[in-house]
Amino acid sequence: MIEGQLLPELNEFTEPFHEFASRGELRIQKCESCGVLRMPPRPMCPACGSTSFVWQLMSGRGRVWSYVVAHPPLLPAYAELAPYVVAIVELEEDPLIRLCGNLVFDSTGPINEVQASDVTIAQEVTAVFPPADDGFVLPAWQITGATQPT
Amino acid sequence: MSWNRVSVVGAGLIKMGELFDQSYEQMARGAFDAAIASVDHGMDPKDIDAVFVATQRGTLWGQEGIGGNTVPSALGLNGVACTRIENACPSGSDAFRVGCMAVASGLHDVVLVIGVEKMRDKSSEEGLLARAAGGHPVYTRGESAPVLFAPFATRHMHDFGTTKEMLASVAVKNHHNGKLDPYAHFQYEVTVEQVLNAPEVCSPLGLLDCCPQTDGAAAVLITTPERAADYTAKPVQVAGIGIATDHPYLHEKDNFVGMSATVGASSRAYEMANLGPTDMDMAEVHDCFTITEILDIEDLGFFEKGKGGIASLEGETALDGSIPINTSGGLLAKGHPIGATGIAQLTECWWQLREEAGDRQVKLRSGNALQHNVGGRGSGVSVVNILTIAE
């Protein structure tokens, strides 16, 4: 939990993502008509236009697609944690579904523990769900495995 | 044979910078006066029958609900047709595209396309960062411009061996050109070492890999080729125009080493102009960050994918290189007053094709120049305009 961190403004489509995350589940919107996964959550399937969907459980496994290191000036809640790594992760189930998040060595670890030198493109990572005082969970990515060929 | 149904007969801009002493309308007036003054045989402002205003942050900087109408009012053009174009970082180049459509269709005869942007009157905390903080509900909270482009740099370096020195060479070259441009925001040289040692912003991008926030305005005057003869014996023709879009969210793009919107926009413009990248004598491209210029010069077809970094390092994009890029100093040195940026780039192309670019003048071979913007959460839309003096 980061004191004063930016939290998403929730709506009926995004709130379930975080509710599932607070239960330790990574679920992604899946179109009930054509089966295409979509992220970020939104009312309508970009592939077929259907508005019916389910929240599909993901394995939580993914690979680092790219990453950056954040430096000040940053918002106050983040400035004292910098520099820290932010990664974009492609999911095992569909490499075109990419999520953005912090990298950690374990689910309770601080976001600035992982250095840029610890990260490589295509490194295997797993979704973790850091505990939060107010019950609001932003998934992070735990470094788990070797770097796979891209 | 190029399209050539619209002629550019005037162009001008104001000195870019932090213009706290000028209002939005004053900046517009400066650019308009410069464009009118550039018309070889003179132009009566009453000849203008439509204005397209490009301002990208109108809804943020106090122009909300006005639709650009303070501009003709402040220019003595009250009553004229006026529409504001807001299309991310290509707002200016898209306003030019729309102006060309208006002329080519016969709906309007003489059109002013003017870009005006106030970037500095509000602090970053109130302005761009506030917008970033209020981004998409889930995954783009806190997403500022460096955050959008730095992952491309990381990935390009990984896939092609692009180095930070190669990125730095873009900043060095553009600052060199900016020093030669009296309209540039920054008019000083930087060294590779200064770029590499600058404070980090969003690694691998440091401070001098980033363009500044700049106030500015630029204007061009366009008309039909027939009418152009009234204004100048040296008109520049519009050879081709292209626009293309891509998913606005980073995590939906199909790759991080190029921008498909740029590829789409340029291929359409080249096809319309019946020209290719090797026909261009110079180009003004969207270098909001050093990595962006490297992506651009590959996506526009000047260099093979993955070779843009080494080409920059080896001087291929310098004023005397095989394809001079950003002779004006680019966004990195001239500045990026968003709505004005594309029109300022077109002004540079116009000067270059008329051989009026002073110490920055490139050698003309084919008589064609390309202007490019990309933006919209990084790369959601791109516009390419090709100008020509070739018969």
Side-chain angles (χ1 to χ4, degrees), chain A residues 7-8 17 39 66-67 71 98, chain B residues 137 139 141 151 154 203 253:
Chain A
L7 294 176
F17 176 86
M39 190 71 199
S66 193
Y67 63 92
H71 298 269
R98 304 195 190 105
Chain B
Y139 278 104
R141 291 282 274 184
T154 306
S203 307
K253 296 186 188 301

Side-chain angles (χ1 to χ4, degrees), chain A residues 6-11 14 17-18 26 38-42 46 64-75 88 95-101 120-122 138-139 150, chain B residues 125 129 132-143 146-147 149-156 158-159 199-205 247 249-256:
Chain A
L6 268 186
L7 294 176
E9 288 167 19
L10 297 180
N11 61 36
T14 58
F17 176 86
H18 297 282
L26 183 69
R38 65 179 184 262
M39 190 71 199
R42 70 203 91 159
V64 172
W65 178 250
S66 193
Y67 63 92
V68 301
V69 185
H71 298 269
L74 295 163
L75 292 167
I88 300 167
L96 287 179
I97 298 294
R98 304 195 190 105
L99 282 77
C100 186
T120 51
I121 302 273
L138 279 176
T150 50
Chain B
E125 288 74 14
L129 281 179
H136 190 274
V138 177
Y139 278 104
T140 56
R141 291 282 274 184
E143 178 191 77
V147 176
F149 286 90
F152 286 86
T154 306
R155 191 75 202 200
H156 203 277
H158 171 266
D159 286 11
E200 295 190 85
V201 173
C202 186
S203 307
L205 301 179
H247 300 294
Y249 298 110
L250 277 185
H251 35 271
E252 289 177 299
K253 296 186 188 301
D254 58 10
N255 74 76
F256 266 25

Side-chain angles (χ1 to χ4, degrees), chain A residues 24-80:
Chain A
E25 293 178 355
L26 183 69
R27 285 183 184 263
I28 299 290
Q29 248 185 331
K30 180 181 180 180
C31 176
E32 245 184 346
S33 296
C34 73
V36 165
L37 296 170
R38 65 179 184 262
M39 190 71 199
R42 70 203 91 159
M44 187 179 76
C45 173
C48 76
S50 169
T51 53
S52 56
F53 62 87
V54 295
W55 285 95
Q56 183 77 22
L57 183 65
M58 299 287 116
S59 67
R61 289 189 292 273
R63 303 193 307 174
V64 172
W65 178 250
S66 193
Y67 63 92
V68 301
V69 185
H71 298 269
L74 295 163
L75 292 167
Y78 297 87
E80 58 192 55

Side-chain angles (χ1 to χ4, degrees), chain A residues 65-138:
Chain A
W65 178 250
S66 193
Y67 63 92
V68 301
V69 185
H71 298 269
L74 295 163
L75 292 167
Y78 297 87
E80 58 192 55
L81 294 163
Y84 56 85
V85 178
V86 181
I88 300 167
V89 172
E90 56 181 8
L91 297 190
E92 182 181 73
E93 287 81 358
D94 182 350
L96 287 179
I97 298 294
R98 304 195 190 105
L99 282 77
C100 186
N102 291 115
L103 288 182
V104 292
F105 286 126
D106 66 69
S107 66
T108 56
I111 65 167
N112 54 6
E113 199 170 36
V114 174
Q115 307 296 309
S117 55
D118 299 322
V119 191
T120 51
I121 302 273
Q123 187 157 28
E124 290 180 340
V125 293
T126 303
V128 292
F129 305 92
D133 292 342
D134 58 0
F136 192 99
V137 171
L138 279 176

Side-chain angles (χ1 to χ4, degrees), chain B residues 7-324:
Chain B
S7 303
V8 186
V9 298
L13 65 157
I14 59 172
K15 164 81 171 71
M16 307 289 188
E18 294 186 314
L19 307 179
F20 297 115
D21 59 336
Q22 292 184 43
S23 71
Y24 176 86
E25 288 77 15
Q26 279 174 293
M27 296 196 307
R29 180 93 221 182
F32 175 65
D33 289 349
I36 289 285
S38 76
V39 178
D40 294 331
H41 303 160
M43 178 184 282
D44 183 344
K46 291 190 174 61
D47 292 352
I48 295 168
D49 65 339
V51 179
F52 292 96
V53 179
T55 295
Q56 198 263 331
R57 297 276 165 177
T59 49
L60 185 60
W61 302 152
Q63 293 289 314
E64 61 273 30
I66 299 171
N69 300 328
T70 66
V71 172
S73 174
L75 302 185
L77 302 175
N78 194 41
V80 76
C82 180
T83 303
R84 187 173 72 210
I85 307 292
E86 182 172 324
N87 199 356
C89 288
S91 292
S93 38
D94 194 27
F96 181 78
R97 183 184 72 99
V98 173
C100 289
M101 291 195 291
V103 170
S105 70
L107 195 63
H108 295 291
D109 290 326
V110 180
V111 169
L112 166 68
V113 183
I114 185 165
V116 195
E117 202 80 46
K118 270 280 177 195
M119 301 292 294
R120 296 293 295 134
D121 280 14
K122 290 194 179 182
S123 69
S124 295
E125 288 74 14
E126 292 175 288
L128 296 181
L129 281 179
R131 287 282 291 249
H136 190 274
V138 177
Y139 278 104
T140 56
R141 291 282 274 184
E143 178 191 77
S144 61
V147 176
L148 289 166
F149 286 90
F152 286 86
T154 306
R155 191 75 202 200
H156 203 277
M157 294 164 89
H158 171 266
D159 286 11
F160 302 117
T162 302
T163 64
K164 290 181 86 162
E165 286 78 8
M166 293 176 191
L167 298 181
S169 72
V170 174
V172 171
K173 183 259 299 175
N174 289 356
H175 276 77
H176 172 78
N177 295 350
K179 194 182 177 189
L180 302 175
D181 182 350
Y183 297 94
H185 186 168
F186 296 147
Q187 298 182 341
Y188 51 80
E189 305 259 3
V190 297
T191 64
V192 170
E193 292 67 34
Q194 284 173 317
V195 180
L196 294 178
N197 294 327
E200 295 190 85
V201 173
C202 186
S203 307
L205 301 179
L207 188 63
L208 291 173
D209 289 293
C210 307
C211 74
Q213 290 188 51
T214 301
D215 302 320
V220 298
L221 294 158
I222 57 177
T223 187
T224 60
E226 298 73 31
R227 191 80 187 270
D230 296 343
Y231 299 114
T232 179
K234 287 170 66 183
V236 172
Q237 313 298 343
V238 181
I241 302 171
I243 181 169
T245 54
D246 191 14
H247 300 294
Y249 298 110
L250 277 185
H251 35 271
E252 289 177 299
K253 296 186 188 301
D254 58 10
N255 74 76
F256 266 25
V257 293
M259 295 187 165
S260 65
T262 298
V263 174
S266 59
S267 60
R268 288 166 190 173
Y270 287 137
E271 185 180 2
M272 185 171 166
N274 196 24
L275 296 168
T278 55
D279 297 313
M280 298 301 127
D281 290 342
M282 54 84 64
E284 287 279 294
V285 309
H286 199 84
D287 58 325
C288 51
F289 299 92
T290 51
I291 181 62
T292 325
E293 179 168 315
I294 289 172
L295 302 175
D296 297 341
I297 60 179
E298 297 169 353
D299 294 338
L300 294 167
F302 297 130
F303 301 97
E304 203 181 308
K305 180 51 68 185
K307 305 286 191 195
I310 188 73
S312 298
L313 190 68
E314 291 180 347
E316 294 291 326
T317 57
L319 289 178
D320 59 353
S322 59
I323 173 72

